[in-house]
Amino acid sequence: MAIEPFVEIHSLLDELKALAQISEEEPPVVTRVVFSAADLRARAYVQSLCESTWLTVRQDAIGNMLARWHGTEPDLAPVGTGSHIDAIPNAGMYDGTVGVLGGLEAIRSLQRAGFHPRRSIELVIFTSEEPTLFGIGCLGSRMMGNVLTLAAALKLRDKQDHGLDELRSQARFTGALESVALPPGYFHQFVELHIEQGPLLEQEGIDLGLVTHIAAPASLRVTIEGEGGHAGGRLMPGRKDALAAAAELILALESAAKSSGAIDTVATVGVCEVFPGAVNSIPSRVNLETDIRDTDGARRNRVIDALHAACSDVSARRGVTVTTELVNADPPATCDTAILAAMEASAQEAGRSFKRMVSRAYHDSLFMARIAPVAMLFIPCRRGWSHRPDEYASPEWIAAGVDVLARTLAKLAG
Ligand SMILES: [Zn+2]
């Protein structure tokens, strides 16, 4: 017999609203930067909710919170769920929080149904999914997934030049940072509920997105050094115009992404700084910042290779010096077929429409994928708006997501 979870959507909405009140700015604006007073108050609120649900709560050395509902076979690896509660400045109330408070409500709805999981179910509240403080996203899950080395973590600094170690101690998170990394196999499976942050589900009138792939960005900085000079005095033969060279590289990158053979390949040059930046001066230096994403790591790397080849070619033909620096290249994740099957069966049981889709933004699940099979469950959000105060998901959408998450967790935890 299938479990029939009983979701109390009104108390969940009250909790989402109460959490949204905990902000560094006047509601409805949600600003909750990691380790700020608001972030610490929000954590305390969520912790109290978890404890009143009889979950065992622990916090690791970086502030990731893990709240466990013990299964009848507590030695088995737990099934994980969760997301984040930190918010960028001027954000809304659903990004991340739907996966945290919705995850908690999924657990409670199973408790109300009299369900006893065989495996423990562990709710995770990740530290600093947003890059606001340290310039790097998914700090907590990167460290849990052992993606970010300890040396790299210790180099992180905020804009006032305070180090991670100092800031986490001020927030009273102590203990060895080495202990944050979880061993592969710690989680049996991990599933994250999240708003789509795109418009497709709402446009198509579909209740749920079953995420099959999480795309991941690679970012490269490209510096082109040419030769400056007077825009009138210097004739065209023999010029080494850094911006003209950069223009070729931008188009080469665009063409490499367009000809990858897959719609999921995207490449963007979002920053182009020109020196000295005067109308009557030949550009001597250009800095480009590129973002290259795909759901397939090898295909994305071929675009990066094409960019490198274009750099060598342009450098040789134009006599400019081109250097590249790989800022980051997180591997994309392919979601687990067993979790997808459980989500699909759960959506059918609940009478909810669904489609399989790609997450083009990245999430904590991308890094949990390094140590566990993962999948994500998307609910619609109005017009795809996110990271703004008018971000909105309807009670019906949230209730459907929590219901199907609960059914999924019941299947996975057995
Ligand atoms: Zn999020």
Side-chain angles (χ1 to χ4, degrees), residues 177-193:
L177 283 173
E178 294 92 320
S179 65
V180 174
L182 297 176
Y186 174 89
F187 284 114
H188 178 62
Q189 285 155 324
F190 186 89
V191 53
E192 179 175 1
L193 174 67

Side-chain angles (χ1 to χ4, degrees), residues 7 118 140 172 202 226 235 253 289 311 335 373-374 389 392 398 410:
V7 177
R118 197 165 63 88
R172 304 236 171 98
E202 186 192 29
L235 297 177
L253 179 63
E289 290 186 27
C311 290
C335 293
V374 303
Y392 177 77
I398 297 171

Side-chain angles (χ1 to χ4, degrees), residues 38-306:
D39 177 53
L40 299 180
R41 274 170 52 220
R43 288 161 179 272
Y45 174 63
V46 172
Q47 183 173 354
S48 71
L49 293 177
C50 289
E51 285 169 348
S52 60
T53 310
W54 308 107
L55 306 184
T56 306
V57 179
R58 78 173 175 97
Q59 299 196 67
D60 70 13
I62 194 78
N64 290 312
M65 197 189 300
L66 298 98
R68 182 174 290 211
W69 181 20
H70 292 280
T72 55
E73 294 183 37
D75 294 338
L76 294 178
V79 171
T81 190
S83 195
H84 62 99
I85 59 168
D86 66 320
I88 63 163
N90 207 40
M93 62 177 273
Y94 300 94
D95 174 11
T97 56
V98 162
V100 170
L101 295 178
L104 179 62
E105 178 57 21
I107 289 173
R108 289 183 302 213
S109 73
L110 292 174
Q111 292 175 340
R112 283 181 211 115
F115 176 71
H116 297 284
R118 197 165 63 88
R119 290 180 186 277
S120 299
I121 297 179
E122 194 154 70
L123 178 71
V124 188
I125 298 94
F126 294 102
T127 287
S128 198
E129 194 268 350
E130 303 292 0
T132 317
L133 192 60
F134 296 110
I136 181 175
C138 297
L139 176 62
S141 52
R142 273 179 204 270
M143 291 185 71
M144 267 188 175
N146 211 2
V147 178
L148 188 71
T149 63
L150 187 62
L154 287 170
K155 278 193 203 139
L156 295 175
R157 312 200 76 77
D158 72 1
K159 290 193 185 80
Q160 284 75 44
D161 208 32
H162 302 294
L164 169 66
D165 220 19
E166 183 187 344
L167 292 164
R168 63 139 188 161
S169 312
Q170 277 171 10
R172 304 236 171 98
F173 298 118
T174 54
L177 283 173
E178 294 92 320
S179 65
V180 174
L182 297 176
Y186 174 89
F187 284 114
H188 178 62
Q189 285 155 324
F190 186 89
V191 53
E192 179 175 1
L193 174 67
H194 206 281
I195 58 170
E196 183 197 347
Q197 299 180 294
L200 301 179
L201 292 173
E202 186 192 29
Q203 276 172 8
E204 296 170 31
I206 294 174
D207 298 324
L208 298 163
L210 278 44
V211 175
T212 57
H213 295 83
I214 307 171
S219 177
L220 283 92
R221 272 191 208 113
V222 183
T223 305
I224 302 116
E225 304 261 8
E227 242 173 54
H230 194 285
R234 196 85 184 252
L235 297 177
M236 298 313 281
R239 276 200 190 192
K240 295 177 180 175
D241 182 325
L243 183 57
E248 282 202 46
L249 294 179
I250 294 169
L251 293 176
L253 179 63
E254 182 189 49
S255 139
K258 277 183 167 170
S259 59
S260 82
I263 192 77
D264 291 328
T265 316
V266 289
T268 308
V269 178
V271 173
C272 176
E273 295 169 336
V274 182
F275 296 91
V279 67
N280 57 355
S281 184
I282 300 167
S284 60
R285 178 161 50 91
V286 170
N287 296 333
L288 301 178
E289 290 186 27
T290 66
D291 177 301
I292 304 156
R293 300 183 187 219
D294 207 319
T295 52
D296 181 299
R299 201 167 53 210
R300 185 191 66 189
N301 292 343
R302 285 197 290 277
V303 174
I304 296 174
D305 292 345

Side-chain angles (χ1 to χ4, degrees), residues 355-414:
K355 67 179 267 184
R356 294 189 172 221
M357 63 192 300
V358 165
S359 171
R360 302 194 183 276
Y362 70 92
H363 297 280
D364 291 306
S365 288
L366 182 63
F367 301 100
M368 297 317 288
R370 304 292 277 271
I371 54 163
V374 303
M376 294 187 72
L377 185 61
F378 278 175
I379 60 167
C381 61
R382 185 173 61 194
R383 297 185 195 178
W385 290 344
S386 185
H387 284 188
R388 43 191 281 181
D390 51 6
E391 176 181 272
Y392 177 77
S394 76
E396 294 73 29
W397 294 338
I398 297 171
V402 172
D403 179 62
V404 171
L405 175 66
R407 291 170 194 269
T408 303
L409 291 174
K411 287 181 180 39
L412 302 179

